[in-house]
Amino acid sequence: VAGTVPEELRCTVERADASLTYSLFLQRFAFSRPVILSGITDNSRGDRARPRGCRFPRSPSVPRSPSVPRSPSVPCSPLRSPAHPSVPAVDVPFQEYVEHLLKPQDPARLGSDTLYFFGDNNFTEWGPLFQHYVPPPFRIPGTSPAYSFGIAGSGSGVPFHWHGPGFSEVIFGRKRWFLYPPDKTPHFHPNETTLAWLQHTYPSLPPAQRPLECTLRPGEVSPGLEGTLGTPGRATGPQCCVLQVLYFPDRWWHATLNLDTSVFISTFLG
């Protein structure tokens, strides 16, 4: 079924709470391994600013639904192929994206045929939202933050890739993460969606070849989790890793999979 994805009730990513100091973050995680940071910020509640609109030209390659009025009062959404980030983005009105393109991922669709709204945000239009966003308090020395906001349907995601360090937070919904260290290249096809990889490749991986993984969602840490600072969490109840922010170091391979229609923001440190 399109968009139907399972949630693994297991978390193999280390986690830390609000007692983690900046110096300890730099010493233990910043340059070596990912960590889940809970209780350091929460953007899942309260009013959020709404961008007013934009006047970007539309691409003729994306058909426009006649039921959507051509109005400049909605922001544009840069859609791009998550499997081919070098392909130029396609700008469509945000209202059209939400009402007509925000759908569950088709398991049979290739990555090159999938459009995903994430990054390349126009800061004139989306600036009010970012002004209300409370970012994680930690930074890597010599870097500056850059925000990327996105909304995506269930089953969608970004295939394995790597870049500089950053943080990821889910504002609404759930997002499953898969991570490998820089020296352990995952086995995947570059034009395969994360959903297809999970269905076809993941089940055959020996335990030693499986990635670090966890599920991000907004809210507080579940009381059903065992584990202490710097240790993986394991579910003792029906939920696993109910968390706020994931930090990933430089050049770590990672892939994402939205388990629901999700709203999320990443902070890239460059």
Side-chain angles (χ1 to χ4, degrees):
V1 179
T4 301
V5 289
E7 177 177 1
E8 174 63 54
L9 297 181
R10 184 173 63 105
C11 179
T12 55
V13 178
E14 296 179 52
R15 60 188 180 91
D17 57 27
S19 65
L20 180 70
T21 64
Y22 178 53
S23 60
L24 192 57
F25 167 76
L26 291 177
Q27 176 186 343
R28 300 185 61 175
F29 303 111
F31 306 102
S32 58
R33 57 190 185 273
V35 61
I36 296 161
L37 302 171
S38 59
I40 61 172
T41 183
D42 188 356
N43 291 280
S44 63
R45 299 179 180 87
D47 295 334
R48 293 290 175 261
R50 296 184 179 182
R52 292 187 176 182
C54 68
R55 295 178 181 272
F56 292 141
R58 295 191 69 261
S59 168
S61 62
V62 177
R64 177 180 175 276
S65 170
S67 63
V68 178
R70 190 181 298 277
S71 170
S73 63
V74 291
C76 289
S77 305
L79 309 182
R80 64 170 64 252
S81 165
H84 298 275
S86 61
V87 176
V90 176
D91 286 333
V92 301
F94 183 63
Q95 179 181 345
E96 182 171 341
Y97 171 69
V98 171
E99 294 182 356
H100 299 276
L101 300 177
L102 184 61
K103 298 179 180 179
Q105 174 72 48
D106 182 349
R109 185 177 293 271
L110 296 176
S112 58
D113 298 327
T114 301
L115 294 177
Y116 192 79
F117 172 36
F118 180 56
D120 292 336
N121 304 119
N122 181 282
F123 277 76
T124 300
E125 305 303 329
W126 293 100
L129 181 143
F130 291 126
Q131 290 175 5
H132 284 73
Y133 177 65
V134 181
F138 301 143
R139 291 288 180 268
I140 305 299
T143 67
S144 298
Y147 302 140
S148 288
F149 168 72
I151 299 177
S154 60
S156 65
V158 180
F160 279 105
H161 64 289
W162 59 265
H163 44 66
F167 299 91
S168 180
E169 178 176 5
V170 173
I171 308 300
F172 176 83
R174 297 172 300 157
K175 182 186 289 287
R176 189 169 170 184
W177 276 69
F178 308 91
L179 304 105
Y180 283 100
D183 59 351
K184 193 173 182 179
T185 303
H187 176 69
F188 71 101
H189 190 282
N191 202 24
E192 184 180 48
T193 64
T194 306
L195 180 60
W197 175 86
L198 180 65
Q199 294 175 339
H200 303 145
T201 302
Y202 180 90
S204 63
L205 293 176
Q209 297 182 18
R210 293 204 168 186
L212 294 178
E213 59 183 287
C214 207
T215 300
L216 276 71
R217 68 177 91 193
E220 62 280 353
V221 176
S222 167
L225 289 178
E226 292 181 341
T228 58
L229 177 65
T231 64
R234 183 173 296 274
T236 57
Q239 295 181 329
C240 174
C241 292
V242 183
L243 53 93
Q244 295 177 340
V245 179
L246 170 70
Y247 169 76
F248 50 90
D250 185 30
R251 297 178 182 271
W252 269 69
W253 289 94
H254 55 279
T256 62
L257 182 68
N258 296 293
L259 304 184
D260 314 295
T261 297
S262 300
V263 180
F264 41 90
I265 292 183
S266 287
T267 303
F268 297 109
L269 304 177

